[in-house]
Amino acid sequence: MIRFATIGTNWITEAFIRAAKQVPSFHLQAVYSRQKETADAFAEKTGATQTFTNLHELAASESIDAVYIASPNAFHAEQAIVLMNHGKHVICEKPLASNVKEVETMIETARKNDVVLMEAMKTTCLPNFQTIQHHLPKIGRIRRYVASYCQYSSRYDAFKQGTIANAFHPDFSSGALMDLGVYCLYPLVVLFGEPKSIQAHSVRLSSGVDGEGSIILDYGGMDAVVMYSKIANSYTPAEIQGEEGTIVIDTIHTPTLVHIHYRDGRKEDISVPQPHEPMYYEALEFMTLIERGEKESTINSHARSLATIKIMEEARKQTGIVFPADERFV
Ligand SMILES: NC(=O)C1=CN([C@@H]2O[C@H](COP(=O)(O)OP(=O)(O)OC[C@H]3O[C@@H](n4cnc5c(N)ncnc54)[C@H](OP(=O)(O)O)[C@@H]3O)[C@@H](O)[C@H]2O)C=CC1
Ligand SMILES: O=C1CO[C@H](CO)[C@@H](O)[C@@H]1O
């Protein structure tokens, strides 16, 4: 049994708990919130038996083995480091942190304390992402990866009226690249590694974060184009274009229907059953690592989290997006 605590009381934490409960070794021991009433209400809703309002008490607690972090991006590093320094395993929401410096410090802290640190990037743990990896050689020499995640935010209407939610505020290391662009980039890094160079463009909002953006990544002989937005929608599937065929993926964040369109006109459905909720697979990966005494996922590895945040930091540099977290030392 792995005794979990959670940080963050928004819908995503409920979704994680619901999915993780499908893994037999999961036990929800405690929830953390900044406010007692919120913690109590969330514990009641989720079945946790303990609550915390003090991070250091949670970190020091002997009744917790692992923590799922779903706080705003700006707090990931600070919270994860406190927890790992007390021997807690950490699964932390995407993006792993605000910038390269924070991710490097988190990785060092995990290694020093011999604990698991894993980015909760659901996409790459999904069976239908693994099927893409498996069938990739069938499409011959790869020439392009195209992926987008553009979703008009429910908080953008309020933004236009002058209310800046966390999702649009630089203090929380937010914006379209951090929130949605990461879903296009992490799978790209898993499939093709680090690019040689990137060229980024973005539309900056009055708050200082990006509302949308695009990045072209040069892989030498192949390029990648990723697009992301919190101020408009897209319905375009993702594609990996090879000289012999093209893999078409319904949605990059949660691949479900995946087909190969061969150059000779044949079409092959390579989708596989994915019976559980999307977050089940990342939860299973994390718990399996703990049970086996392994310290790092080979899927959502430290190196891949680092490569992804390096691209994001470079894209922010090119487009002038700065977070207060960039000025802090963790
Ligand atoms: N995997 C997925 O599909 C999704 C992942 N995410 C990720 O989850 C994380 C949280 O996102 P989201 O729920 O939108 O974020 P929110 O801004 O809604 O904050 C999440 C939680 O953090 C706490 N919090 C809010 N503001 C602050 C603050 N100023 N200081 C400290 N804690 C605060 C709150 O918990 P409390 O009040 O109880 O302390 C809140 O429930 C992000 O990293 C995001 O990328 C988000 C949605 C989906
Ligand atoms: O990761 C995410 C996926 O879905 C959400 C919207 O539906 C995003 O805002 C979020 O951060």
Side-chain angles (χ1 to χ4, degrees):
M1 185 175 73
I2 303 169
R3 300 164 305 168
F4 271 77
T6 58
I7 294 184
T9 51
N10 201 359
W11 63 272
I12 194 60
T13 305
E14 274 187 77
F16 177 82
I17 292 169
R18 203 170 51 240
K21 278 182 176 169
Q22 304 303 310
V23 182
S25 43
F26 179 82
H27 173 74
L28 182 65
Q29 175 69 24
V31 296
Y32 163 93
S33 170
R34 291 165 299 165
Q35 272 149 14
K36 176 88 178 108
E37 306 76 61
T38 314
D40 287 345
F42 199 66
E44 174 144 0
K45 201 193 276 186
T46 55
T49 49
Q50 217 178 340
T51 60
F52 290 94
T53 52
N54 180 306
L55 182 71
H56 294 270
E57 281 172 21
L58 163 60
S61 169
E62 302 226 323
S63 55
I64 306 297
D65 305 308
V67 180
Y68 165 75
I69 299 179
S71 55
N73 305 331
F75 306 113
H76 290 180
E78 193 183 329
Q79 291 172 333
I81 288 167
V82 169
L83 293 163
M84 291 190 287
N85 276 334
H86 283 82
K88 305 296 183 257
H89 303 289
V90 168
I91 177 166
C92 179
E93 266 305 337
K94 39 56 63 176
L96 193 54
S98 302
N99 52 43
V100 173
K101 186 175 65 178
E102 287 188 353
V103 170
E104 283 174 345
T105 311
M106 289 165 85
I107 293 169
E108 271 168 37
T109 309
R111 293 195 176 139
K112 187 177 77 192
N113 291 289
D114 217 15
V115 294
V116 179
L117 167 69
M118 187 180 123
E119 183 164 346
M121 170 49 67
K122 66 182 171 193
T123 308
T124 40
C125 296
L126 291 169
N128 275 301
F129 182 78
Q130 282 148 18
T131 204
I132 295 167
Q133 287 179 293
H134 178 73
H135 290 277
L136 207 53
K138 290 182 172 176
I139 62 169
R141 185 150 182 206
I142 291 157
R143 294 305 193 176
R144 183 175 288 114
Y145 166 103
V146 190
S148 70
Y149 193 169
C150 304
Q151 184 173 290
Y152 187 96
S153 168
S154 57
R155 292 151 180 158
Y156 187 49
D157 287 334
F159 182 90
K160 286 189 277 191
Q161 302 301 316
T163 304
I164 306 175
N166 294 358
F168 286 109
H169 205 300
D171 284 0
F172 300 98
S173 306
S174 299
L177 171 64
M178 298 297 277
D179 196 35
L180 302 181
V182 66
Y183 282 107
C184 305
L185 292 170
Y186 205 107
L188 173 67
V189 164
V190 172
L191 292 170
F192 303 113
E194 286 193 51
K196 288 181 187 302
S197 64
I198 74 160
Q199 244 187 303
H201 299 269
S202 71
V203 171
R204 270 175 58 204
L205 302 177
S206 54
S207 65
V209 305
D210 56 344
E212 64 105 274
S214 309
I215 308 176
I216 300 176
L217 304 97
D218 175 18
Y219 278 85
M222 142 184 182
D223 59 57
V225 182
V226 306
M227 295 159 280
Y228 41 87
S229 177
K230 287 181 76 66
I231 58 176
N233 289 319
S234 164
Y235 305 91
T236 313
E239 282 190 348
I240 305 170
Q241 302 166 0
E243 291 191 358
E244 302 307 322
T246 296
I247 299 180
V248 180
I249 306 153
D250 56 350
T251 51
I252 196 63
H253 59 83
T254 317
T256 308
L257 296 172
V258 190
H259 292 87
I260 303 179
H261 294 253
Y262 292 99
R263 197 159 50 81
D264 64 11
R266 283 176 301 127
K267 184 176 169 187
E268 182 184 3
D269 183 352
I270 58 166
S271 319
V272 293
Q274 207 161 263
H276 293 280
E277 294 181 46
M279 294 180 91
Y280 165 86
Y281 301 95
E282 68 186 38
L284 177 64
E285 168 72 3
F286 179 66
M287 284 183 253
T288 304
L289 295 172
I290 296 172
E291 284 173 333
R292 291 191 182 151
E294 289 165 20
K295 299 299 174 236
E296 189 183 339
S297 170
T298 55
I299 304 170
N300 292 357
S301 66
H302 294 169
R304 286 167 171 170
S305 291
L306 193 55
T308 305
I309 199 74
K310 276 185 184 164
I311 297 170
M312 293 166 78
E313 188 168 301
E314 174 60 21
R316 285 202 293 119
K317 205 158 132 193
Q318 289 183 15
T319 55
I321 298 161
V322 181
F323 299 140
D326 299 332
E327 312 300 325
R328 285 197 302 257
F329 180 75
V330 184

